[in-house]
């Protein structure tokens, strides 16, 4: 790994996006607006063929025409060997096996942008920890994380969007910040990797809670309360893990939370809405191709909070509904019946 940090992406290195769901397709679209060519690795041959032949992703965001300089393939080993900058947009439950697949093919110029959001089931590991465990600390200077309020469809429609770029390497963060920057896609950098990743993970669980409340027709007061108290939960856990409070008030914290918990475009909000309306989780998940990251994240988050002794009542309430088959109405009543406390810790 002899290539200096300052030259990782300037001049642009061969770049590939790994993961061709909605968000992976959107990030590949953003990069194709800046680079001569971008490769998108697809798990399904159907997706790769659709992009090659029709410049559309036939399974996800199919209404958007993709640039001709965006190429698609299903050969993961060749992608890793022939591209230096790898943007991983893999759902968190599949991130570790994906890293194990690509590790033998990494080379001296390889570097990463991780756009996965979640907490690994079983281990309770955040995305940065998964990278460290699978690739080792030597890659830390070549790794950053992208998160923030950003729906794929609005990004593909070139509507104004702002995201956070987090890395422990300032030089690498600056390079990636510039690489992704477009007139309608604004990037902000930070060194708070833990805060950025945790905010992106927990907001999906709070969005499930907001959706459940909407399904129960609790009203907008309740939604606002859930978002606010959900942010308080996020901050309690985040600061315990070393995140900075200001990060949770930023794009990857409050910004992403508000977007995901209030919009009909949010998969997690939609899953919660249908749960609140009386559908079972099995029914909902059987009818969708895209992953609602809040479901597996809730299980991991609840376990992590218990292990660390961090109070997260909204997360616990969602866990009861998802994994203990409790009725949303009874869980809501239990949540509202908790002993009142102070809003903030008082000295």
């Amino acid at each position: 790994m002899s290539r200096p940090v300052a030259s990782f992406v300037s001049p642009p290195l061969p770049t590939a996006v790994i993961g061709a769901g909605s968000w992976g397709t959107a990030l590949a679209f953003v990069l194709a607006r800046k680079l001569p060519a971008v490769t998108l690795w697809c798990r399904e041959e159907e997706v790769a063929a659709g992009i090659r032949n029709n410049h559309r992703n036939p399974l996800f965001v199919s209404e958007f025409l993709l640039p001709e300089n965006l190429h698609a393939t299903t050969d993961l080993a060749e992608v890793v060997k022939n591209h230096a900058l790898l943007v991983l947009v893999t759902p968190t439950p599949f991130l570790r096996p994906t890293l194990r697949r690509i590790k033998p093919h990494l080379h001296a110029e390889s570097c990463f942008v991780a756009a996965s959001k979640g907490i690994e089931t079983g281990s309770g590991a955040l995305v940065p920890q998964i990278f460290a465990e699978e690739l080792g600390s030597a890659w830390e200077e070549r790794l950053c994380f992208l998160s923030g309020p950003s729906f794929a469809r609005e990004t593909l429609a070139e509507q104004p969007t702002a995201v956070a770029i987090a890395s422990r390497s300032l030089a690498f963060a600056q390079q990636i910040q510039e690489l992704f920057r477009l007139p309608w896609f604004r990037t902000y950098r930070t060194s708070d990797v833990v805060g950025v990743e945790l905010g992106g993970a927990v907001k999906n669980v709070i969005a499930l809670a907001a959706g459940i409340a909407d399904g129960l027709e609790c009203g907008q007061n309740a939604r606002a309360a859930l978002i606010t108290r959900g942010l308080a939960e996020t901050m309690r856990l985040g600061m315990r893990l070393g995140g900075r409070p200001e990060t949770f008030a930023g794009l990857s914290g409050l910004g992403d939370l508000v977007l995901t918990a209030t919009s009909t475009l949010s998969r997690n909000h939609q899953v919660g809405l249908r749960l609140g309306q009386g559908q079972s989780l099995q029914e909902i998940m059987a009818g969708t191709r895209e992953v609602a990251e809040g479901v597996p994240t809730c299980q991991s988050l609840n376990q992590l909070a218990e292990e660390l002794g961090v109070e997260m009542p909204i997360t616990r309430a969602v866990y009861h509904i998802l994994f203990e088959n409790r009725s949303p109405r009874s869980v809501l009543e239990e949540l509202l019946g908790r002993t009142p406390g102070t809003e903030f810790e008082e000295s």
Side-chain angles (χ1 to χ4, degrees):
M1 291 185 285
S2 59
R3 191 177 181 95
V5 172
S7 62
F8 273 179
V9 293
S10 179
L13 295 180
T15 298
V17 175
I18 296 176
S22 297
W23 188 225
T25 302
L27 287 179
F29 173 86
V30 169
L31 290 167
R33 286 285 187 257
K34 291 289 289 282
L35 300 174
V38 174
T39 299
L40 179 60
W41 177 78
C42 314
R43 185 168 60 88
E44 303 93 344
E45 176 57 37
E46 177 185 358
V47 173
I51 294 172
R52 284 195 299 265
N53 299 330
N54 304 312
H55 304 295
R56 295 182 188 273
N57 184 328
L59 298 185
F60 309 101
V61 291
S62 58
E63 65 270 32
F64 292 97
L65 187 67
L66 302 174
E68 293 187 4
N69 64 329
L70 176 57
H71 310 291
T73 180
T74 57
D75 192 332
L76 184 58
E78 287 302 309
V79 165
V80 178
K81 290 176 184 176
N82 295 325
H83 297 80
L85 181 60
L86 305 172
V87 181
L88 274 74
V89 198
T90 308
T92 304
F94 307 110
L95 179 58
R96 194 181 295 273
T98 300
L99 290 174
R100 290 176 180 175
R101 287 182 64 188
I102 70 175
K103 186 175 181 178
H105 309 292
L106 297 175
H107 49 82
E109 291 187 330
S110 298
C111 49
F112 306 92
V113 175
S116 304
K117 301 176 182 179
I119 301 174
E120 188 177 45
T121 303
S123 71
L126 291 172
V127 170
Q129 184 179 344
I130 297 172
F131 268 86
E133 290 173 356
E134 293 302 322
L135 301 184
S137 59
W139 293 95
E140 191 172 88
E141 295 294 309
R142 298 165 167 263
L143 171 63
C144 73
F145 304 86
L146 186 153
S147 187
S150 47
F151 285 144
R153 282 180 167 80
E154 294 192 1
T155 301
L156 286 159
E158 300 188 12
Q159 293 182 285
T161 300
V163 298
I165 304 288
S167 179
R168 294 188 173 94
S169 167
L170 174 60
F172 189 42
Q174 288 174 326
Q175 293 282 339
I176 298 302
Q177 180 183 23
E178 178 58 31
L179 178 65
F180 276 88
R181 185 176 64 86
L182 287 165
W184 45 271
F185 197 84
R186 187 164 176 81
T187 52
Y188 293 81
R189 67 179 180 272
T190 175
S191 61
D192 187 5
V193 168
V194 170
V196 165
E197 274 299 307
L198 191 72
V202 181
K203 58 93 179 179
N204 287 326
V205 178
I206 307 305
L208 284 168
I212 292 168
D214 287 346
L216 292 170
E217 299 183 349
C218 291
Q220 296 185 55
N221 291 351
R223 184 198 296 163
L226 281 169
I227 291 171
T228 307
R229 297 311 302 163
L231 181 61
E233 290 191 13
T234 307
M235 292 181 68
R236 276 198 297 270
L237 180 62
M239 293 172 67
R240 179 69 178 273
L241 293 173
R244 299 200 298 264
E246 61 268 24
T247 302
F248 301 109
L251 290 166
S252 60
L254 180 62
D256 209 359
L257 173 58
V258 169
L259 180 73
T260 312
T262 61
S263 174
T264 57
L265 292 177
S266 164
R267 293 191 297 272
N268 291 285
H269 181 274
Q270 283 298 301
V271 169
L273 180 72
R274 294 169 67 181
L275 285 167
Q277 291 172 339
Q279 296 186 45
S280 71
L281 180 62
Q282 292 72 24
E283 290 173 330
I284 297 167
M285 301 311 291
T288 182
R289 191 183 282 272
E290 295 190 272
V291 176
E293 288 261 22
V295 175
T297 296
C298 182
Q299 187 173 23
S300 306
L301 183 61
N302 184 69
Q303 177 184 335
L304 184 61
E306 289 185 346
E307 289 174 355
L308 295 176
V310 176
E311 186 181 25
M312 301 188 74
I314 298 172
T315 297
R316 182 63 178 166
V318 176
Y319 178 85
H320 284 319
I321 295 168
L322 292 177
F323 300 104
E324 296 180 352
N325 295 318
R326 296 273 304 278
S327 77
R329 181 66 67 181
S330 69
V331 170
L332 173 66
E333 291 172 356
E334 188 175 289
L335 191 61
L336 291 172
R338 296 176 67 248
T339 302
T342 59
E343 184 173 17
F344 304 108
E345 295 293 331
E346 297 179 0
S347 56

